Coordinates of all heavy atoms in Angstrom, one line a residue:
V363 N 16.4 14.4 42.5 CA 17.5 13.5 42.8 C 18.8 14.4 43.1 O 19.1 15.2 42.3 CB 17.7 12.5 41.7 CG1 18.9 11.6 42.0 CG2 16.5 11.8 41.3
T364 N 19.4 14.1 44.2 CA 20.5 14.9 44.6 C 21.8 14.0 44.8 O 21.7 13.0 45.4 CB 20.3 15.6 46.0 OG1 19.1 16.4 45.9 CG2 21.4 16.5 46.4
V365 N 22.9 14.5 44.2 CA 24.2 13.8 44.3 C 25.2 14.9 44.8 O 25.4 15.9 44.2 CB 24.7 13.2 43.0 CG1 26.0 12.6 43.2 CG2 23.7 12.2 42.4
S366 N 25.7 14.6 46.0 CA 26.6 15.6 46.6 C 27.9 14.9 47.1 O 27.9 13.7 47.5 CB 25.9 16.3 47.8 OG 25.5 15.4 48.8
D367 N 29.0 15.7 47.2 CA 30.2 15.2 47.7 C 30.9 16.3 48.5 O 30.4 17.4 48.5 CB 31.2 14.8 46.5 CG 31.5 15.9 45.6 OD1 32.3 16.8 46.1 OD2 31.0 16.0 44.5
N368 N 31.9 15.9 49.2 CA 32.7 16.9 50.1 C 34.1 17.1 49.5 O 35.0 17.2 50.3 CB 32.7 16.4 51.5 CG 33.5 15.1 51.7 OD1 33.6 14.3 50.7 ND2 34.0 14.8 52.9
G369 N 34.2 17.1 48.2 CA 35.5 17.4 47.6 C 35.9 18.8 47.6 O 35.3 19.6 48.3
P370 N 36.8 19.2 46.7 CA 37.4 20.5 46.7 C 36.4 21.6 46.2 O 36.6 22.8 46.4 CB 38.6 20.4 45.9 CG 38.4 19.3 45.0 CD 37.5 18.3 45.8
G371 N 35.4 21.2 45.5 CA 34.4 22.1 44.9 C 34.9 22.7 43.6 O 36.0 22.5 43.2
I372 N 34.0 23.6 43.1 CA 34.3 24.2 41.8 C 34.1 25.7 42.0 O 33.1 26.2 42.6 CB 33.3 23.8 40.7 CG1 33.3 22.2 40.5 CG2 33.5 24.5 39.4 CD1 32.2 21.7 39.6
P373 N 35.1 26.5 41.6 CA 35.0 28.0 41.7 C 33.7 28.5 41.0 O 33.3 28.0 39.9 CB 36.2 28.5 41.0 CG 37.2 27.4 41.1 CD 36.4 26.1 41.0
A374 N 33.0 29.5 41.6 CA 31.8 30.0 41.0 C 31.9 30.5 39.6 O 30.9 30.3 38.8 CB 31.2 31.1 41.9
R375 N 33.0 31.0 39.2 CA 33.2 31.6 37.9 C 33.1 30.5 36.8 O 32.9 30.8 35.6 CB 34.4 32.4 37.8 CG 35.7 31.6 38.0 CD 36.9 32.6 37.9 NE 38.2 31.9 38.1 CZ 38.7 31.6 39.3 NH1 38.1 32.0 40.4 NH2 39.9 31.0 39.4
Y376 N 33.4 29.2 37.2 CA 33.4 28.1 36.2 C 32.1 27.4 36.1 O 31.9 26.6 35.1 CB 34.5 27.1 36.5 CG 35.9 27.7 36.5 CD1 36.8 27.5 37.5 CD2 36.3 28.5 35.5 CE1 38.1 28.0 37.6 CE2 37.6 29.1 35.5 CZ 38.5 28.8 36.5 OH 39.7 29.4 36.5
L377 N 31.2 27.6 37.0 CA 29.9 26.8 37.1 C 29.1 27.0 35.8 O 28.5 26.0 35.4 CB 29.1 27.2 38.3 CG 29.6 26.6 39.7 CD1 28.8 27.1 40.8 CD2 29.6 25.1 39.6
P378 N 28.9 28.2 35.3 CA 28.1 28.3 34.1 C 28.5 27.5 32.9 O 27.8 27.2 31.9 CB 28.1 29.8 33.8 CG 28.4 30.4 35.1 CD 29.4 29.5 35.7
R379 N 29.8 27.0 32.9 CA 30.3 26.4 31.7 C 30.5 24.9 31.8 O 31.0 24.2 30.9 CB 31.7 27.0 31.3 CG 31.6 28.5 31.0 CD 32.9 28.9 30.3 NE 33.1 28.2 29.1 CZ 34.3 28.3 28.4 NH1 35.3 29.0 28.8 NH2 34.4 27.6 27.3
V380 N 30.2 24.3 33.0 CA 30.6 22.9 33.3 C 29.8 22.0 32.4 O 30.2 20.8 32.2 CB 30.4 22.6 34.8 CG1 31.4 23.3 35.6 CG2 29.0 22.8 35.2
T381 N 28.6 22.4 31.9 CA 27.9 21.5 31.0 C 28.2 21.6 29.5 O 27.6 21.0 28.7 CB 26.4 21.7 31.2 OG1 26.0 23.1 31.0 CG2 25.9 21.4 32.7
E382 N 29.2 22.5 29.2 CA 29.6 22.6 27.8 C 30.4 21.4 27.4 O 31.1 20.8 28.2 CB 30.4 23.9 27.6 CG 29.7 25.1 27.8 CD 30.6 26.4 27.6 OE1 31.7 26.2 27.1 OE2 30.2 27.5 28.0
Q383 N 30.3 21.0 26.1 CA 31.0 19.9 25.6 C 32.5 20.2 25.6 O 33.0 21.3 25.2 CB 30.6 19.6 24.1 CG 29.2 19.2 24.0 CD 28.8 18.8 22.6 OE1 29.7 18.5 21.7 NE2 27.5 18.9 22.2
F384 N 33.3 19.2 26.1 CA 34.8 19.3 26.2 C 35.3 20.3 27.1 O 36.5 20.6 27.1 CB 35.4 19.5 24.8 CG 35.0 18.4 23.8 CD1 34.1 18.7 22.7 CD2 35.6 17.2 23.9 CE1 33.8 17.7 21.8 CE2 35.2 16.2 22.9 CZ 34.3 16.5 21.9
Y385 N 34.4 20.9 28.0 CA 34.9 21.9 28.9 C 35.4 21.2 30.2 O 34.7 20.3 30.7 CB 33.9 22.9 29.3 CG 34.4 24.0 30.2 CD1 35.1 25.0 29.8 CD2 34.1 23.9 31.6 CE1 35.6 26.0 30.6 CE2 34.6 24.9 32.5 CZ 35.4 25.9 32.0 OH 35.9 26.9 32.8
R386 N 36.6 21.5 30.6 CA 37.2 21.0 31.9 C 37.6 22.2 32.8 O 38.2 23.1 32.3 CB 38.4 20.1 31.6 CG 38.2 19.0 30.6 CD 39.4 18.2 30.3 NE 39.2 17.1 29.4 CZ 39.3 17.2 28.1 NH1 39.6 18.4 27.6 NH2 39.1 16.2 27.3
V387 N 37.3 22.0 34.1 CA 37.6 23.1 35.0 C 39.1 23.2 35.2 O 39.7 22.2 35.5 CB 36.9 22.8 36.4 CG1 37.3 23.9 37.4 CG2 35.4 22.7 36.2
P388 N 39.6 24.3 35.0 CA 41.1 24.5 35.1 C 41.5 24.2 36.6 O 40.8 24.5 37.5 CB 41.3 26.0 34.8 CG 40.2 26.4 34.0 CD 39.0 25.6 34.5
G389 N 42.7 23.6 36.7 CA 43.3 23.3 38.0 C 42.8 22.0 38.6 O 43.3 21.7 39.7
Q390 N 41.9 21.3 38.0 CA 41.5 20.0 38.6 C 42.6 19.0 38.5 O 43.1 18.8 37.4 CB 40.2 19.5 38.0 CG 39.0 20.4 38.2 CD 38.4 20.2 39.6 OE1 38.9 19.5 40.4 NE2 37.3 20.9 39.8
A391 N 42.8 18.2 39.6 CA 43.8 17.2 39.6 C 43.4 16.1 38.6 O 44.2 15.5 37.9 CB 44.0 16.7 41.0
Q392 N 42.1 15.7 38.6 CA 41.6 14.7 37.7 C 40.9 15.3 36.5 O 40.1 16.2 36.7 CB 40.6 13.8 38.5 CG 41.3 13.2 39.7 CD 41.4 11.7 39.6 OE1 41.1 11.1 38.6 NE2 41.9 11.1 40.6
Q393 N 41.1 14.8 35.3 CA 40.5 15.4 34.1 C 39.8 14.2 33.4 O 40.5 13.2 33.1 CB 41.5 16.1 33.2 CG 42.2 17.3 33.8 CD 41.2 18.5 33.9 OE1 40.1 18.4 33.3 NE2 41.5 19.5 34.6
G394 N 38.6 14.4 33.1 CA 37.8 13.4 32.3 C 37.8 13.8 30.8 O 38.7 14.6 30.3
T395 N 36.8 13.4 30.1 CA 36.6 13.7 28.7 C 36.0 15.0 28.4 O 36.1 15.5 27.3 CB 35.8 12.6 28.0 OG1 34.5 12.6 28.6 CG2 36.4 11.2 28.1
G396 N 35.4 15.6 29.4 CA 34.7 16.9 29.3 C 33.3 16.7 28.6 O 32.7 17.7 28.1
L397 N 32.8 15.5 28.6 CA 31.5 15.2 27.9 C 30.4 14.7 28.9 O 29.3 14.6 28.6 CB 31.7 14.2 26.8 CG 32.5 14.7 25.6 CD1 32.7 13.5 24.6 CD2 31.8 15.8 24.9

Side-chain angles (χ1 to χ4, degrees):
V363 181
T364 305
V365 179
S366 58
D367 64 72
N368 63 339
I372 303 173
R375 63 183 181 275
Y376 299 133
L377 284 177
R379 300 193 59 190
V380 293
T381 57
E382 294 180 10
Q383 296 183 23
F384 301 107
Y385 183 79
R386 302 178 182 88
V387 176
Q390 294 281 6
Q392 303 246 1
Q393 294 288 349
T395 60
L397 292 174

